[in-house]
Amino acid sequence: MAGPHLQQPSFLLATLKADCVNKPFVQRCHDLETVIEEFPAKELHGIFPWLVESIFGSLDGIIVGWNLRCLQGRTNPTEYSVALSFLDPSGPMMKLVYKLQAEEYRYDFPVSSLPGPVKASIQEQVLPECSLYHNKVQFPSSGGLGLNLALNPFEYYMFYFAISLITQKNSPITHHISPSNSAYFTLVDTYLKCFLPTEGSVLPPPSSNPGGAIPSPTPRSPAVPFTSYGMHHTSLLKRHVAHQPSVNADPASQEIWRSETLLQIFVEMWLHHYSLEMYQKMQSPHVKLEVLHYRLSISSKHHGSPAQSSYQALHAYQESFKPTEEHVLVVRLLVKHLHAFSNSLKPEPLSPSAHSHTASPLEEFKRVVIPRFVQEKLYIFLQHCFGHWPLDASFRAVLEMWLSYLQPWRYAPEKPPQSTEPLPRSVSEKWAAFIQENLLMYTKLFVGFLNRALRTDLVSPKNALMVFRVAKVFAQPNLAEMILKGEQLFLEPELVIPHRQHRLFMTPPFGGSFFSSWPPTITDASFKVKSHVYSLEGQDFQYKQMFGTEVRNLVLKLAQLICQAQQTAKSISDHSAETMASQSFFSWFRFTPSEMNGSYTGNDLDEIGQDSIKKTDEYLEKALEYLCQIFKLNEAQLTQMMMKCGTAQDENGKKQLPDCIESEDGLILTPLGRYQIINGLRRFEVQYQGDTELQPIRSYENATLVRLLFRLSSVLNERFADQMDVLCSREDFVGRLCRYHLTNPHLVQKTRSTPMVKDRTSQNWGPRISLRFLASYRTLISLLMIYFMASWFYIGPVGCTFIILIAYFLYAIIMTFFSEGWKPHEH
């Protein structure tokens, strides 16, 4: 009987692979559910890795799998519903996971597919501090290449699920798909609610044994010796974990081992990414020296392979990590749920002894879930996004994720008191501890946002909205005061304990197991703030005060840019109104002065409309008001700044020139002037002052027609030059009509004020015929439309041309009557 049992999994696997090609998606899921229910774990063990890969895609991104990131209920309601039902925490797939979990099977996950920092440290035989990797690294028998993690079925499934967000980011996604409505996003939310419940406890997994429970993973001995980060507590980020008890050694771990595993996997796969510089910054000199000694000691022992060179070791840490907007949205979902999960903690009993006996493991897990598992990696992730994200409106996703983390009170169970007046809700004092223990999240990242805002175009409604959102959040009553209090605690002098000693016993075991032993509780608020700052930035960090002089100057620069952006938006609005007022039907048949000589640089406000211009002005105005509240800006200083911005406009509403300095070679742009030009705050009034017939060919013109019509008009101008001079010199209506339509008023005015040689070939200052407007594509399209409409009324080409000429002649008479050409000209 042993032979058939060995051959059965391969036959089952081949059958399922064939079904993937021949059967529709719904039928395949139904067949898989039947297989999971009927086959024993021993036979399902062989198909599990293939099934996980066929669902979530391959680790190299070549196999897309079910493409859950693009599967939406609006476009594919049947497949969407079937996929969610199959992958639900109580669905067939999780039943398969628990069935295999009961048999304690292990599956290999390649270390090369892990996030860059983890992969590099494991390859250098330095054990990451996260307990997720402990006792799981396995070397192949052939040598030191091809490291794998031996994972249990639940870990293997969740590893693939979480990392598919990263590995499948290059898969085609159409623009009309909303990431927050995808099946993947819905599953993340479902798993978080199931394994990190805000109400009740974690549902027990279904058991295949009568009266039994699915055991949690048993600890395994390491297959190769590893050194661990922070062997002697030399850094607040590092803690020795080699001798800590396993996550599963404590009986209480049976209740929440899935919760902790799920959270660790999500955090490691989604947040544990940073650059080489950040990795070096997080390492203490003692750890680096220890790792170096360890490499030298094992260079001639392990498989006879030499230790990596210094260059190779550093190069291994480099990771080209570019998170997508969908990635950030998923992380924001995680942050919001963790706030709700942490805030669902039951009130502490009055007696500490009672607390130690009655608190469940889940309640204790809620207490430390954010500072121990999320805070450090999220801070580094946000820093990476703030420094590398493009300066465009897509940064809104990162911004909202950051603001969600800064406001845990939004996800607290208590409801705000009902009030008839829509006043902003004051931040309660009970959140002071959270703000102090996350001080850098508020202060340093705020400075990072200021630096980004100073380099963006605040005239854009989307950019103005981001500035408004940040200013509104930080302007919440009592928030700025609590941040200032946190800064004061950090800047307090250290008088009692030597400044290195207290940071050793304050070190929290970030990333370690929940059931690891806690260091002594520190009640001093100042020590907690210092611990937070130094743990994230190192001992030599130079803190920049949010309410200090340097940051205040940045805020003043931002306020000045806001004022300038408001004036720019007003100018654009006025320009758009003037353009709309001057448009007419026959303007399609000739160039207007703005087209021939204008230099107006477009903005997205032109396409959005007046309503968005008003919104932009409202956003900037409120943002400026909030900044004044946060930083107590002087009203006189702000008024003076706005007056300076107001004087930048002349009586015609045009902006001044960009900031320049005069030199022997003329005007030279300053850095401020370059910034003003790049962001559209100011511009040079560049106008073409030569012969309009000799302008470069525009994108909306036919090049062949421009050249042919220029030759034709040149011949006509040469032949009838004297006649046109005589007509334009007449004082009656015919003379005025000819002067308006056969001369260029701007060029004539210039020739009168500037001595010029009267040469028609070099300066076409006199009367002339211009036919270039006929080369415009819009003119050609309009003529074709007129001829097409005329064919419906049986009007021939000659009659249609005659009608156009008559209409144009009437238009010319009307324009002459209401133009400057009606007034007498000086000769």
Side-chain angles (χ1 to χ4, degrees), residues 134-156:
H134 295 178
N135 303 324
K136 293 183 175 67
V137 181
Q138 302 291 323
F139 276 95
S141 58
S142 59
L145 299 178
L147 290 170
N148 293 309
L149 297 179
L151 305 177
N152 63 56
F154 183 82
E155 293 169 338
Y156 187 81

PDB file of all heavy atoms in Angstrom, residues 134-156:
ATOM      1  N   HIS A 134      13.324  32.793  13.803  1.00  0.00           N
ATOM      2  CA  HIS A 134      14.108  31.969  14.707  1.00  0.00           C
ATOM      3  C   HIS A 134      13.801  30.488  14.510  1.00  0.00           C
ATOM      4  O   HIS A 134      12.633  30.090  14.381  1.00  0.00           O
ATOM      5  CB  HIS A 134      13.850  32.370  16.157  1.00  0.00           C
ATOM      6  CG  HIS A 134      14.318  33.764  16.450  1.00  0.00           C
ATOM      7  ND1 HIS A 134      14.154  34.362  17.662  1.00  0.00           N
ATOM      8  CD2 HIS A 134      14.954  34.682  15.672  1.00  0.00           C
ATOM      9  CE1 HIS A 134      14.661  35.579  17.631  1.00  0.00           C
ATOM     10  NE2 HIS A 134      15.136  35.797  16.433  1.00  0.00           N
ATOM     11  N   ASN A 135      14.860  29.680  14.505  1.00  0.00           N
ATOM     12  CA  ASN A 135      14.760  28.220  14.388  1.00  0.00           C
ATOM     13  C   ASN A 135      14.106  27.782  13.082  1.00  0.00           C
ATOM     14  O   ASN A 135      13.509  26.715  13.012  1.00  0.00           O
ATOM     15  CB  ASN A 135      13.959  27.625  15.565  1.00  0.00           C
ATOM     16  CG  ASN A 135      14.543  27.986  16.908  1.00  0.00           C
ATOM     17  OD1 ASN A 135      15.769  28.073  17.048  1.00  0.00           O
ATOM     18  ND2 ASN A 135      13.687  28.215  17.884  1.00  0.00           N
ATOM     19  N   LYS A 136      14.207  28.617  12.039  1.00  0.00           N
ATOM     20  CA  LYS A 136      13.578  28.264  10.766  1.00  0.00           C
ATOM     21  C   LYS A 136      14.563  28.229   9.605  1.00  0.00           C
ATOM     22  O   LYS A 136      14.222  27.710   8.545  1.00  0.00           O
ATOM     23  CB  LYS A 136      12.453  29.245  10.434  1.00  0.00           C
ATOM     24  CG  LYS A 136      11.252  29.171  11.370  1.00  0.00           C
ATOM     25  CD  LYS A 136      10.161  30.116  10.914  1.00  0.00           C
ATOM     26  CE  LYS A 136       8.913  29.962  11.764  1.00  0.00           C
ATOM     27  NZ  LYS A 136       9.113  30.391  13.156  1.00  0.00           N
ATOM     28  N   VAL A 137      15.736  28.836   9.746  1.00  0.00           N
ATOM     29  CA  VAL A 137      16.678  28.916   8.634  1.00  0.00           C
ATOM     30  C   VAL A 137      17.316  27.552   8.418  1.00  0.00           C
ATOM     31  O   VAL A 137      17.848  26.940   9.346  1.00  0.00           O
ATOM     32  CB  VAL A 137      17.750  29.981   8.903  1.00  0.00           C
ATOM     33  CG1 VAL A 137      18.716  30.065   7.726  1.00  0.00           C
ATOM     34  CG2 VAL A 137      17.093  31.328   9.156  1.00  0.00           C
ATOM     35  N   GLN A 138      17.265  27.066   7.174  1.00  0.00           N
ATOM     36  CA  GLN A 138      17.803  25.749   6.827  1.00  0.00           C
ATOM     37  C   GLN A 138      18.790  25.896   5.675  1.00  0.00           C
ATOM     38  O   GLN A 138      18.474  26.514   4.654  1.00  0.00           O
ATOM     39  CB  GLN A 138      16.668  24.808   6.410  1.00  0.00           C
ATOM     40  CG  GLN A 138      15.591  24.611   7.464  1.00  0.00           C
ATOM     41  CD  GLN A 138      16.098  23.838   8.663  1.00  0.00           C
ATOM     42  OE1 GLN A 138      16.898  22.924   8.529  1.00  0.00           O
ATOM     43  NE2 GLN A 138      15.629  24.204   9.853  1.00  0.00           N
ATOM     44  N   PHE A 139      19.994  25.317   5.850  1.00  0.00           N
ATOM     45  CA  PHE A 139      20.978  25.288   4.785  1.00  0.00           C
ATOM     46  C   PHE A 139      20.795  24.021   3.957  1.00  0.00           C
ATOM     47  O   PHE A 139      20.532  22.949   4.507  1.00  0.00           O
ATOM     48  CB  PHE A 139      22.401  25.302   5.357  1.00  0.00           C
ATOM     49  CG  PHE A 139      22.897  26.673   5.668  1.00  0.00           C
ATOM     50  CD1 PHE A 139      22.783  27.186   6.947  1.00  0.00           C
ATOM     51  CD2 PHE A 139      23.478  27.447   4.692  1.00  0.00           C
ATOM     52  CE1 PHE A 139      23.243  28.453   7.238  1.00  0.00           C
ATOM     53  CE2 PHE A 139      23.937  28.715   4.975  1.00  0.00           C
ATOM     54  CZ  PHE A 139      23.826  29.225   6.247  1.00  0.00           C
ATOM     55  N   PRO A 140      20.941  24.137   2.656  1.00  0.00           N
ATOM     56  CA  PRO A 140      20.904  22.909   1.848  1.00  0.00           C
ATOM     57  C   PRO A 140      22.175  22.102   2.065  1.00  0.00           C
ATOM     58  O   PRO A 140      23.200  22.619   2.496  1.00  0.00           O
ATOM     59  CB  PRO A 140      20.807  23.443   0.411  1.00  0.00           C
ATOM     60  CG  PRO A 140      21.445  24.790   0.469  1.00  0.00           C
ATOM     61  CD  PRO A 140      21.123  25.341   1.838  1.00  0.00           C
ATOM     62  N   SER A 141      22.094  20.840   1.757  1.00  0.00           N
ATOM     63  CA  SER A 141      23.237  19.957   1.980  1.00  0.00           C
ATOM     64  C   SER A 141      24.391  20.243   1.038  1.00  0.00           C
ATOM     65  O   SER A 141      25.534  19.924   1.322  1.00  0.00           O
ATOM     66  CB  SER A 141      22.793  18.496   1.816  1.00  0.00           C
ATOM     67  OG  SER A 141      22.243  18.305   0.515  1.00  0.00           O
ATOM     68  N   SER A 142      24.118  20.904  -0.094  1.00  0.00           N
ATOM     69  CA  SER A 142      25.169  21.120  -1.088  1.00  0.00           C
ATOM     70  C   SER A 142      26.109  22.251  -0.735  1.00  0.00           C
ATOM     71  O   SER A 142      27.221  22.297  -1.226  1.00  0.00           O
ATOM     72  CB  SER A 142      24.539  21.394  -2.454  1.00  0.00           C
ATOM     73  OG  SER A 142      23.699  22.530  -2.375  1.00  0.00           O
ATOM     74  N   GLY A 143      25.703  23.184   0.073  1.00  0.00           N
ATOM     75  CA  GLY A 143      26.564  24.304   0.381  1.00  0.00           C
ATOM     76  C   GLY A 143      25.797  25.463   0.950  1.00  0.00           C
ATOM     77  O   GLY A 143      24.681  25.316   1.424  1.00  0.00           O
ATOM     78  N   GLY A 144      26.402  26.643   0.881  1.00  0.00           N
ATOM     79  CA  GLY A 144      25.829  27.819   1.508  1.00  0.00           C
ATOM     80  C   GLY A 144      24.869  28.583   0.640  1.00  0.00           C
ATOM     81  O   GLY A 144      24.429  29.647   1.024  1.00  0.00           O
ATOM     82  N   LEU A 145      24.576  28.097  -0.540  1.00  0.00           N
ATOM     83  CA  LEU A 145      23.652  28.796  -1.433  1.00  0.00           C
ATOM     84  C   LEU A 145      22.260  28.204  -1.304  1.00  0.00           C
ATOM     85  O   LEU A 145      22.083  27.038  -0.955  1.00  0.00           O
ATOM     86  CB  LEU A 145      24.141  28.684  -2.885  1.00  0.00           C
ATOM     87  CG  LEU A 145      25.515  29.294  -3.174  1.00  0.00           C
ATOM     88  CD1 LEU A 145      25.883  29.058  -4.627  1.00  0.00           C
ATOM     89  CD2 LEU A 145      25.524  30.779  -2.848  1.00  0.00           C
ATOM     90  N   GLY A 146      21.256  28.993  -1.615  1.00  0.00           N
ATOM     91  CA  GLY A 146      19.887  28.512  -1.583  1.00  0.00           C
ATOM     92  C   GLY A 146      19.333  28.342  -0.189  1.00  0.00           C
ATOM     93  O   GLY A 146      18.724  27.318   0.121  1.00  0.00           O
ATOM     94  N   LEU A 147      19.513  29.366   0.647  1.00  0.00           N
ATOM     95  CA  LEU A 147      18.959  29.305   2.002  1.00  0.00           C
ATOM     96  C   LEU A 147      17.434  29.296   1.942  1.00  0.00           C
ATOM     97  O   LEU A 147      16.825  29.957   1.092  1.00  0.00           O
ATOM     98  CB  LEU A 147      19.437  30.507   2.817  1.00  0.00           C
ATOM     99  CG  LEU A 147      20.917  30.536   3.200  1.00  0.00           C
ATOM    100  CD1 LEU A 147      21.262  31.890   3.781  1.00  0.00           C
ATOM    101  CD2 LEU A 147      21.230  29.445   4.192  1.00  0.00           C
ATOM    102  N   ASN A 148      16.824  28.561   2.866  1.00  0.00           N
ATOM    103  CA  ASN A 148      15.370  28.471   2.937  1.00  0.00           C
ATOM    104  C   ASN A 148      14.911  28.631   4.376  1.00  0.00           C
ATOM    105  O   ASN A 148      15.671  28.392   5.317  1.00  0.00           O
ATOM    106  CB  ASN A 148      14.877  27.123   2.399  1.00  0.00           C
ATOM    107  CG  ASN A 148      15.113  26.979   0.912  1.00  0.00           C
ATOM    108  OD1 ASN A 148      14.752  27.851   0.137  1.00  0.00           O
ATOM    109  ND2 ASN A 148      15.740  25.870   0.516  1.00  0.00           N
ATOM    110  N   LEU A 149      13.658  29.056   4.502  1.00  0.00           N
ATOM    111  CA  LEU A 149      12.983  29.048   5.796  1.00  0.00           C
ATOM    112  C   LEU A 149      12.028  27.873   5.837  1.00  0.00           C
ATOM    113  O   LEU A 149      11.234  27.679   4.906  1.00  0.00           O
ATOM    114  CB  LEU A 149      12.198  30.351   6.008  1.00  0.00           C
ATOM    115  CG  LEU A 149      12.978  31.661   6.075  1.00  0.00           C
ATOM    116  CD1 LEU A 149      12.001  32.822   6.272  1.00  0.00           C
ATOM    117  CD2 LEU A 149      13.998  31.645   7.187  1.00  0.00           C
ATOM    118  N   ALA A 150      12.084  27.092   6.900  1.00  0.00           N
ATOM    119  CA  ALA A 150      11.162  25.971   7.079  1.00  0.00           C
ATOM    120  C   ALA A 150       9.935  26.486   7.825  1.00  0.00           C
ATOM    121  O   ALA A 150       9.973  26.725   9.032  1.00  0.00           O
ATOM    122  CB  ALA A 150      11.839  24.846   7.850  1.00  0.00           C
ATOM    123  N   LEU A 151       8.839  26.666   7.097  1.00  0.00           N
ATOM    124  CA  LEU A 151       7.639  27.290   7.643  1.00  0.00           C
ATOM    125  C   LEU A 151       6.532  26.271   7.810  1.00  0.00           C
ATOM    126  O   LEU A 151       6.409  25.320   7.021  1.00  0.00           O
ATOM    127  CB  LEU A 151       7.157  28.415   6.713  1.00  0.00           C
ATOM    128  CG  LEU A 151       8.162  29.512   6.370  1.00  0.00           C
ATOM    129  CD1 LEU A 151       7.539  30.493   5.384  1.00  0.00           C
ATOM    130  CD2 LEU A 151       8.626  30.238   7.622  1.00  0.00           C
ATOM    131  N   ASN A 152       5.709  26.486   8.826  1.00  0.00           N
ATOM    132  CA  ASN A 152       4.519  25.664   8.963  1.00  0.00           C
ATOM    133  C   ASN A 152       3.468  26.144   7.963  1.00  0.00           C
ATOM    134  O   ASN A 152       3.611  27.207   7.349  1.00  0.00           O
ATOM    135  CB  ASN A 152       3.990  25.708  10.405  1.00  0.00           C
ATOM    136  CG  ASN A 152       3.543  27.100  10.820  1.00  0.00           C
ATOM    137  OD1 ASN A 152       2.695  27.715  10.172  1.00  0.00           O
ATOM    138  ND2 ASN A 152       4.098  27.614  11.908  1.00  0.00           N
ATOM    139  N   PRO A 153       2.398  25.379   7.731  1.00  0.00           N
ATOM    140  CA  PRO A 153       1.430  25.753   6.678  1.00  0.00           C
ATOM    141  C   PRO A 153       0.825  27.137   6.852  1.00  0.00           C
ATOM    142  O   PRO A 153       0.638  27.856   5.866  1.00  0.00           O
ATOM    143  CB  PRO A 153       0.362  24.648   6.798  1.00  0.00           C
ATOM    144  CG  PRO A 153       1.098  23.482   7.337  1.00  0.00           C
ATOM    145  CD  PRO A 153       2.106  24.043   8.286  1.00  0.00           C
ATOM    146  N   PHE A 154       0.490  27.530   8.080  1.00  0.00           N
ATOM    147  CA  PHE A 154      -0.108  28.847   8.284  1.00  0.00           C
ATOM    148  C   PHE A 154       0.887  29.947   7.919  1.00  0.00           C
ATOM    149  O   PHE A 154       0.535  30.924   7.245  1.00  0.00           O
ATOM    150  CB  PHE A 154      -0.555  28.992   9.741  1.00  0.00           C
ATOM    151  CG  PHE A 154      -1.258  30.283  10.040  1.00  0.00           C
ATOM    152  CD1 PHE A 154      -2.598  30.432   9.751  1.00  0.00           C
ATOM    153  CD2 PHE A 154      -0.573  31.360  10.597  1.00  0.00           C
ATOM    154  CE1 PHE A 154      -3.256  31.628  10.015  1.00  0.00           C
ATOM    155  CE2 PHE A 154      -1.221  32.551  10.869  1.00  0.00           C
ATOM    156  CZ  PHE A 154      -2.567  32.685  10.581  1.00  0.00           C
ATOM    157  N   GLU A 155       2.133  29.798   8.352  1.00  0.00           N
ATOM    158  CA  GLU A 155       3.158  30.788   8.019  1.00  0.00           C
ATOM    159  C   GLU A 155       3.401  30.823   6.516  1.00  0.00           C
ATOM    160  O   GLU A 155       3.529  31.909   5.926  1.00  0.00           O
ATOM    161  CB  GLU A 155       4.448  30.457   8.750  1.00  0.00           C
ATOM    162  CG  GLU A 155       4.371  30.608  10.262  1.00  0.00           C
ATOM    163  CD  GLU A 155       5.573  30.028  10.959  1.00  0.00           C
ATOM    164  OE1 GLU A 155       6.251  29.158  10.366  1.00  0.00           O
ATOM    165  OE2 GLU A 155       5.838  30.445  12.107  1.00  0.00           O
ATOM    166  N   TYR A 156       3.480  29.659   5.896  1.00  0.00           N
ATOM    167  CA  TYR A 156       3.744  29.586   4.457  1.00  0.00           C
ATOM    168  C   TYR A 156       2.634  30.281   3.664  1.00  0.00           C
ATOM    169  O   TYR A 156       2.900  31.054   2.730  1.00  0.00           O
ATOM    170  CB  TYR A 156       3.860  28.121   4.044  1.00  0.00           C
ATOM    171  CG  TYR A 156       4.296  27.900   2.621  1.00  0.00           C
ATOM    172  CD1 TYR A 156       5.640  27.972   2.266  1.00  0.00           C
ATOM    173  CD2 TYR A 156       3.366  27.602   1.624  1.00  0.00           C
ATOM    174  CE1 TYR A 156       6.049  27.756   0.959  1.00  0.00           C
ATOM    175  CE2 TYR A 156       3.765  27.386   0.313  1.00  0.00           C
ATOM    176  CZ  TYR A 156       5.103  27.467  -0.019  1.00  0.00           C
ATOM    177  OH  TYR A 156       5.502  27.259  -1.308  1.00  0.00           O
TER     178      TYR A 156
END
